[in-house]
């Protein structure tokens, strides 16, 4: 692409980003409008936007969300989330911070075992009901869960989509991620709990009367359709098994989720129209627009130039390269979605590893710096990672919207603290103690 296309693509992206930040128009309209302009100025084309694996819409993400939203929508009708809400409040004795701590830990662990998008789709409805029962503002709890999902997803190969890209390029296994990233993910989850206690301290208002009312409830009475519940849980168990067995079955998570949604329609009495009514269509449209815009930046060479500049800034020193890659990836992943960023940065990282005398694959510290930077950087802004956008969409649908800046003012703090601790971890483990 020409320089004119590069500057024009940057102008369109910045313009759409400003509209999203200021919320002058709905974020879905801004993303779709930006995608349309990218096509008009030929920064990308229809073939690249809709069919390219690297610079187009990531249909795996879109259809994973579609399938899981449908399954979650059916489970919502059974009363399962009300059951879980009452159960969690009773276990925490109605104390708001205990509730948040429980939800944060559950979200982090589940995100490592499944993936962070699936986890927040399951946890967010429970959170909304918990907050409703206790008379609490839901935003702090939902935001904390997003942070936990992105941190927990860092721990394993399947936890966050960028990790899958890195594993494929570097030849890393599930166990490699557990050994190298699970310890820091566990530590960062504990740090997140401390940050939440400070950042959201005004939200922890204990209402003894409301807590007492919930404590008096019987969880089982919340279940409205036991037959549909067991059908839904059986399908969900099969879907989760499909996710976990991906290395053996080689079915993409999107395929597993769609098969699960189709199976649930087939075995239950839920109508197709009712099932599709549970899908967050504006969220899916936002993702499509965002993927096209970022893909246009890749097509015009903007992302590649930024990635190369980041690589050049390392100066050939391994420690400098590690810290630069970690910090630079965190910043860039907060601005653009971390999936296309990592797809672009992975081959550049492989070249850096070779230049420093290592094999392109293997357990080189630069791969862990890229993974930590991209995954943790996703917490910085409301559109930095897929889980962020999904939760904002759920909140909006339930008439409890979270603004861009409401999320980002906390996200920047969490990103800076967790990335700083990660830098210390990488330095100690791979340079001081190696």
């Amino acid at each position: 692409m020409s320089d004119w296309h590069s500057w024009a693509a940057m102008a369109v992206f910045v313009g759409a980003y400003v509209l999203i930040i200021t919320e002058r128009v709905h974020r879905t309209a801004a993303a779709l409008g930006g995608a349309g302009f990218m096509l008009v100025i030929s920064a990308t084309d229809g073939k690249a936007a809709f069919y390219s694996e690297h610079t187009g819409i990531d249909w795996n993400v879109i259809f994973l969300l579609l399938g899981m939203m449908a399954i979650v929508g059916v489970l919502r009708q059974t009363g399962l989330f009300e059951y879980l809400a009452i159960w969690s409040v009773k276990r925490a004795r109605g104390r708001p911070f205990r509730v948040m701590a429980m939800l944060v830990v559950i979200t982090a662990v589940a995100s490592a075992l499944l993936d962070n998008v699936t986890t927040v789709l399951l946890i967010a409805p429970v959170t909304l009901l918990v907050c409703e029962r206790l008379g609490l503002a839901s935003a702090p709890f939902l935001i904390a869960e997003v942070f936990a999902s992105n941190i927990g997803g860092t721990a394993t190969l399947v936890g966050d989509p960028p990790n899958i890209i890195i594993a494929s390029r570097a030849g890393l296994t599930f166990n490699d991620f557990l050994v190298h990233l699970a310890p820091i993910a566990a530590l960062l989850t504990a740090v997140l709990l401390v940050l939440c206690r400070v950042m959201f301290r005004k939200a922890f208002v204990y209402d003894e009367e409301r807590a007492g009312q919930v404590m008096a409830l019987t969880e089982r009475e919340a279940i409205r359709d036991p037959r549909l519940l067991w059908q839904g849980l059986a399908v969900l168990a099969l879907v989760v098994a499909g996710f976990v067995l991906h290395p053996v079955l080689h079915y993409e998570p999107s395929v597993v989720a769609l098969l699960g949604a189709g199976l649930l329609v087939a075995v239950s009495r839920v109508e197709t129209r009712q099932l599709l009514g549970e899908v967050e269509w504006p969220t899916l449209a936002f993702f499509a627009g965002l993927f096209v815009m970022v893909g246009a930046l890749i097509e015009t060479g903007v992302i590649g130039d930024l990635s190369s500049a980041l690589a050049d800034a390392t100066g050939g020193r391994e420690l400098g390269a590690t810290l630069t890659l970690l910090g630079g990836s965190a910043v860039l992943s907060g601005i653009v979605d971390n999936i296309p960023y990592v797809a672009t940065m992975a081959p550049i990282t492989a070249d850096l590893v070779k230049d420093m005398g290592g094999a392109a694959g293997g357990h080189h510290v630069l791969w862990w710096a890229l993974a930590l930077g991209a995954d943790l950087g996703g917490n910085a802004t409301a559109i930095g990672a897929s889980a962020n956008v999904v939760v904002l969409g759920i909140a909006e649908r339930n008439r409890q919207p979270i603004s861009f800046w409401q999320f980002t003012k906390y996200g920047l703090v969490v990103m800076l603290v967790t990335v700083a601790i990660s830098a210390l971890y990488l330095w100690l483990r791979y340079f001081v103690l190696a």
Side-chain angles (χ1 to χ4, degrees), residues 326 415-425:
L326 173 68
M415 185 272 281
L416 290 171
V417 172
T418 54
V419 169
I421 293 173
S422 297
L424 181 62
Y425 168 79

Side-chain angles (χ1 to χ4, degrees), residues 88-107:
S88 61
V89 171
K90 291 176 76 171
R91 293 300 174 277
R93 310 299 296 177
R95 298 287 179 177
F97 179 67
R98 291 182 189 174
V99 172
M100 178 179 283
M102 180 187 298
L103 293 173
V104 162
V105 172
I106 290 172
T107 300

Side-chain angles (χ1 to χ4, degrees), residues 19-236:
L19 289 176
I20 292 170
I21 292 173
T22 58
E23 300 181 331
R24 293 293 181 87
V25 299
H26 193 279
R27 62 178 179 273
T28 302
L32 291 178
F37 273 113
M38 291 293 194
L39 291 165
V40 168
I41 65 174
S42 298
T44 186
D45 56 33
K47 185 176 181 180
F50 301 115
Y51 300 107
S52 173
E53 184 178 353
H54 302 294
T55 62
I57 298 172
D58 192 330
W59 295 110
N60 281 318
V61 172
I62 298 294
F63 285 112
L64 168 64
L65 290 172
L66 175 62
M68 291 308 300
M69 285 175 178
I71 293 171
V72 169
V74 172
L75 289 173
R76 184 183 293 115
Q77 299 173 25
T78 67
L80 173 64
F81 297 133
E82 288 90 335
Y83 174 96
L84 293 174
I86 296 169
W87 179 88
S88 61
V89 171
K90 291 176 76 171
R91 293 300 174 277
R93 310 299 296 177
R95 298 287 179 177
F97 179 67
R98 291 182 189 174
V99 172
M100 178 179 283
M102 180 187 298
L103 293 173
V104 162
V105 172
I106 290 172
T107 300
V109 173
S111 294
L113 298 176
L114 303 175
D115 66 85
N116 51 10
V117 173
T118 301
T119 299
V120 295
L121 280 169
L122 294 170
I123 298 293
V126 178
T127 305
L128 289 165
L129 289 166
V130 166
C131 293
E132 181 183 343
R133 292 281 188 179
L134 294 178
L136 300 168
S138 62
F141 291 80
L142 292 173
I143 292 172
E145 286 161 15
V146 171
F147 298 154
S149 73
N150 289 324
I151 291 172
T154 305
T156 66
L157 188 154
V158 299
D160 212 358
N163 291 7
I164 298 173
I165 299 171
I166 291 170
S168 175
R169 187 78 190 193
L172 299 168
T173 66
F174 189 92
N175 287 337
D176 291 332
F177 276 84
L178 277 180
V179 170
H180 291 269
L181 295 187
I184 184 62
L187 173 62
L188 294 179
T189 301
V191 171
L192 175 63
L193 288 173
V194 176
L195 289 174
C196 287
R197 189 70 181 90
V198 175
M199 294 189 303
F200 303 124
R201 59 188 179 277
K202 293 181 180 178
F204 303 132
V205 179
Y206 177 62
D207 188 325
E208 187 174 356
E209 183 179 352
R210 280 180 175 270
Q213 291 173 354
V214 178
M215 295 297 292
L217 295 174
T218 303
E219 300 96 304
R220 293 191 178 186
E221 293 179 358
I223 302 300
R224 296 187 293 271
D225 191 334
R227 183 172 180 270
L228 182 60
L229 172 63
W230 286 113
Q231 290 172 334
L233 289 176
V235 168
L236 181 61

Side-chain angles (χ1 to χ4, degrees), residues 114-395:
L114 303 175
D115 66 85
N116 51 10
V117 173
T118 301
T119 299
V120 295
L121 280 169
L122 294 170
I123 298 293
V126 178
T127 305
L128 289 165
L129 289 166
V130 166
C131 293
E132 181 183 343
R133 292 281 188 179
L134 294 178
L136 300 168
S138 62
F141 291 80
L142 292 173
I143 292 172
E145 286 161 15
V146 171
F147 298 154
S149 73
N150 289 324
I151 291 172
T154 305
T156 66
L157 188 154
V158 299
D160 212 358
N163 291 7
I164 298 173
I165 299 171
I166 291 170
S168 175
R169 187 78 190 193
L172 299 168
T173 66
F174 189 92
N175 287 337
D176 291 332
F177 276 84
L178 277 180
V179 170
H180 291 269
L181 295 187
I184 184 62
L187 173 62
L188 294 179
T189 301
V191 171
L192 175 63
L193 288 173
V194 176
L195 289 174
C196 287
R197 189 70 181 90
V198 175
M199 294 189 303
F200 303 124
R201 59 188 179 277
K202 293 181 180 178
F204 303 132
V205 179
Y206 177 62
D207 188 325
E208 187 174 356
E209 183 179 352
R210 280 180 175 270
Q213 291 173 354
V214 178
M215 295 297 292
L217 295 174
T218 303
E219 300 96 304
R220 293 191 178 186
E221 293 179 358
I223 302 300
R224 296 187 293 271
D225 191 334
R227 183 172 180 270
L228 182 60
L229 172 63
W230 286 113
Q231 290 172 334
L233 289 176
V235 168
L236 181 61
L238 290 174
V239 169
V240 171
F243 290 159
V244 174
L245 294 175
H246 171 70
V248 178
L249 301 176
H250 302 294
Y251 287 123
E252 292 295 332
S254 56
V255 175
V256 175
L258 285 176
L259 287 172
L263 177 62
L264 193 53
V265 173
V267 302
S268 69
R269 297 187 297 268
V270 177
E271 295 183 2
T272 304
R273 179 179 296 180
Q274 186 180 10
L275 187 77
L276 294 177
E278 298 290 342
V279 175
E280 305 279 347
W281 295 107
T283 299
L284 299 185
F286 174 81
F287 271 118
L290 186 63
F291 281 133
V292 172
M293 286 198 296
V294 175
L297 294 181
I298 296 173
E299 287 280 340
T300 55
V302 174
I303 297 293
D305 289 344
L306 288 172
S307 300
S308 297
L310 180 61
D312 293 340
T314 63
R317 298 180 301 275
E318 192 171 40
L319 177 58
T322 299
L323 298 180
T324 302
L325 187 58
L326 173 68
S329 297
V331 172
L332 290 175
S333 292
I335 299 172
V336 299
D337 190 90
N338 55 14
I339 297 173
Y341 168 75
V342 169
T344 305
M345 198 64 198
I348 296 173
T349 304
D351 290 339
L352 278 173
V353 171
K354 286 182 180 178
D355 292 343
M356 292 178 186
H363 309 160
H364 199 282
V365 62
L366 291 183
W367 291 116
W368 308 126
L370 176 61
L372 285 167
D375 294 344
L376 300 177
N379 277 331
T381 69
I383 62 172
S386 303
N388 311 17
V389 178
V390 170
V391 168
L392 262 63
I394 293 172

